[in-house]
Amino acid sequence: MRVFLDTNVWVSAFAARGVCEELLLRLLEDGSVLTSPLVWEELTEVLTRKVLPSPVVWQRIRSLWCSAESVEDAPAEREDNDSRLIAAAAAAGADLFVTGDKEVLARSHSGNMRIVSPRDAWLILYPPAAPH
């Protein structure tokens, strides 16, 4: 399954331990993460403004981001970056667009691509094993 992670999921993965970090690492391991140059732009801007990672941490962030499959950004004519990222993910054939943004989550779909929260993505991709 191809999964596009919104910028806020990347930020959360690097800013705090939790479901976003686990989801990112597991998806990178599975080779199913999609990203785009716009995500990198937004990610570096937010982390620089809010987290101030050390140079060593920046290297790890860049390394992990480069492990994802980068897809072409949607044209800048789109009304906002959320719409651009959703369009880029859909054009790249993503099955899921994962975000923590409530306004984006309210869209629920873009074509065949589902828009889900990180927790819902985890449950879709890695459902708990049924008891024996």
Side-chain angles (χ1 to χ4, degrees):
M1 190 170 283
R2 295 167 58 85
V3 181
F4 193 102
L5 301 178
D6 196 2
T7 306
N8 58 61
V9 177
W10 285 89
V11 169
S12 294
F14 297 124
R17 298 228 179 266
V19 69
C20 291
E21 178 190 37
E22 290 296 319
L23 183 63
L24 172 64
L25 294 175
R26 183 81 173 264
L27 286 168
L28 286 172
E29 207 173 89
D30 295 346
S32 55
V33 179
L34 301 176
T35 192
S36 76
L38 180 56
V39 170
W40 180 250
E41 272 180 47
E42 291 183 340
L43 177 62
T44 57
E45 188 275 323
V46 172
L47 290 177
T48 299
R49 188 169 31 88
K50 293 186 175 185
V51 181
L52 298 171
S54 70
V56 171
V57 173
W58 269 121
Q59 284 180 325
R60 173 145 169 78
I61 291 168
R62 180 70 179 177
S63 174
L64 288 171
W65 186 81
C66 286
S67 298
E69 179 185 339
S70 188
V71 301
E72 191 173 318
D73 283 322
E77 300 90 57
R78 299 261 178 197
E79 60 272 13
D80 59 50
N81 284 354
D82 290 332
S83 295
R84 288 182 65 200
L85 292 175
I86 291 167
D95 300 293
L96 297 177
F97 183 92
V98 182
T99 184
D101 184 320
K102 288 182 171 131
E103 286 183 30
V104 176
L105 285 167
R107 299 179 191 191
S108 78
H109 285 84
S110 179
N112 292 329
M113 181 179 68
R114 292 174 58 190
I115 300 173
V116 299
S117 70
R119 185 155 314 281
D120 287 343
W122 183 270
L123 292 172
I124 292 165
L125 296 164
Y126 311 109
H132 297 323

